[in-house]
Amino acid sequence: MHAMPAVPAGMARARAARPGSSRGDAWRRGLAALAGLLLAACQTSGPEMAAIGGSNQQFPGLIRQPLSLQVTMPDGDQETLEALVTRPSAPGRYPVALITHGTSEDAYNRALTPNRYSGTAIAFARRGYAAVVVLRRGYGRPTGRGMVTGPSCDNPQHQRAGEVARTDLLAARDAVRRQPWASPDKAVLPGSSTGGWAVLAAAATNPPGVQAVLDFAGGRGASWVNVCGKESLLEAATGFGQTARTPALWVYAENDKEFPPALAREMFARYQAAGGAGELFVTPASGDNGHFIMASAPPTLWWPRVGEFLAARGLPSAEMVKPQAAELSPPPELSEDGKKSFARYLASASYEKAFATDGRKYWSWNSGYRTQQEAAATVLSYCRARVSGCFLYAVGDRIVAPEP
């Protein structure tokens, strides 16, 4: 098959291991490829890079810009957390949607960018939120010591892991509320996977000015075939529920392969029985694995229910900035499979993204980079490493290839 897969950049989920190989071996192969791609990207230059434009894709009625959040931890340490805000361009102070991420292998964590969740941030910003994706300590480019606490089957500490992540999240919340565009007393905390677990831990402290938390596929200890320390996980859900009075909406997909609905219902039952305030919502299946619903699924799958939940707590839910779909034509001589892939590229709300091709049988694309320039350079290097004649065709929602 001539088509090339999306670039295996650090923010992309690893493919399943081939039969007879371990998951660890698959990760090592993927990370070796990533290192080569990033090196090649640094060496890429030329006229293709000249027409890219600003560092971040912009949309009518919205502003997207990186942030460095200076935060103070409970022990007095000063840290810097990497973040990106997407907000309405009209003046005002908007309710904050403070979005936090999941956890994976170490190299993934270090390569993660706030843009991995740009589709989620855009969905909130279009409805009147200052949507801030924040990376916790140990992820992306933070200062200070790493605080990533991965799953352990030998000694699971799922409640402690949630509390560690909560520390970063609430410190970021204190920093964001001082921004001139942020409401100081209206906020919602959406989190994915271990980020969903973090917002449940945050709900247990009932932080002032937070009206709701949104747990997307939250949990700890998933190992693709089972959950390490399931009883510890259930005990932690009970512990969080004992003090949580901040309303929480638990959102899980029918085909979540890490925390399937049966386990989600079991965790939620423990949480609710202990006194936790909340509701459970199971969406239809999403993609190959619904665990990535917050980052990858179209918001139309979950926003109607999420919007109802937020509106009931006095938070915005209606669109104030209408979306404008990109209408770009693929290269006219690109294969039918390539044209289908270009359609998926256009439909992806994850930025910063780029599409490279030889115009006929080969293509590559990916998203979730820090800047449009980084997306373009890495995707183009990947394509050129596999076939001659590759050129940069699109960056974000713009065609940058010269007219034929």
Side-chain angles (χ1 to χ4, degrees), residues 153-172:
C153 288
D154 298 325
N155 183 30
Q157 299 182 30
H158 298 315
Q159 184 163 343
R160 172 61 180 155
E163 292 166 351
V164 168
R166 173 181 72 197
T167 299
D168 289 24
L169 192 59
L170 295 184

Side-chain angles (χ1 to χ4, degrees), residues 99-103 117 120 136 189-199 214-219 291-296:
I99 300 165
T100 192
H101 53 84
T103 298
Y117 294 88
T120 307
R136 307 186 299 274
L189 309 180
S192 173
S193 191
T194 58
W197 197 242
V199 303
L214 302 172
D215 159 28
F216 285 84
H291 184 65
F292 306 98
I293 181 173
M294 191 176 88
S296 301

Side-chain angles (χ1 to χ4, degrees), residues 271-296:
Y271 182 85
Q272 191 175 50
E279 302 171 23
L280 173 65
F281 169 50
V282 177
T283 77
S286 173
D288 294 331
N289 184 353
H291 184 65
F292 306 98
I293 181 173
M294 191 176 88
S296 301

Side-chain angles (χ1 to χ4, degrees), residues 29-261:
R29 287 192 298 271
L31 296 177
L34 167 63
L37 287 174
L38 293 180
L39 177 62
C42 292
Q43 298 171 340
T44 300
S45 61
E48 299 94 340
M49 299 295 112
I52 291 173
S55 293
N56 297 109
Q57 171 87 36
Q58 301 297 327
F59 303 93
L62 300 178
I63 293 174
R64 298 178 68 235
Q65 59 189 162
L67 293 176
S68 290
L69 296 179
Q70 309 301 315
V71 301
T72 302
M73 296 299 169
D75 60 6
D77 280 357
Q78 303 294 309
E79 307 278 8
T80 302
L81 302 180
E82 184 182 3
L84 187 135
V85 61
T86 306
R87 58 184 175 86
S89 58
R93 296 178 74 96
Y94 295 95
V96 172
L98 186 62
I99 300 165
T100 192
H101 53 84
T103 298
S104 191
E105 304 285 342
D106 286 347
Y108 173 99
N109 297 335
R110 289 193 298 273
L112 187 66
T113 80
N115 304 38
R116 176 70 179 85
Y117 294 88
S118 52
T120 307
I122 292 167
F124 276 93
R126 288 199 297 104
R127 292 164 174 89
Y129 290 84
V132 178
V133 181
V134 62
L135 302 187
R136 307 186 299 274
R137 284 175 291 175
Y139 302 85
R141 297 172 177 170
T143 62
R145 58 192 183 278
M147 298 297 289
V148 178
T149 52
S152 168
C153 288
D154 298 325
N155 183 30
Q157 299 182 30
H158 298 315
Q159 184 163 343
R160 172 61 180 155
E163 292 166 351
V164 168
R166 173 181 72 197
T167 299
D168 289 24
L169 192 59
L170 295 184
R173 164 67 183 136
D174 287 342
V176 169
R177 72 197 307 176
R178 295 192 294 269
Q179 297 289 332
W181 35 258
S183 168
D185 55 7
K186 283 192 175 182
V188 57
L189 309 180
S192 173
S193 191
T194 58
W197 197 242
V199 303
L200 292 176
T205 69
N206 303 301
V210 174
Q211 282 73 42
V213 304
L214 302 172
D215 159 28
F216 285 84
R220 298 285 309 187
S223 64
W224 292 64
V225 293
N226 58 25
V227 173
C228 296
K230 177 182 174 182
E231 191 53 42
S232 171
L233 194 69
L234 295 173
E235 289 173 359
T238 299
F240 293 151
Q242 287 174 346
T243 57
R245 301 299 176 264
T246 302
L249 180 62
W250 296 44
V251 184
Y252 291 75
E254 189 63 49
N255 65 329
D256 189 319
K257 295 181 180 178
E258 269 66 29
F259 302 103

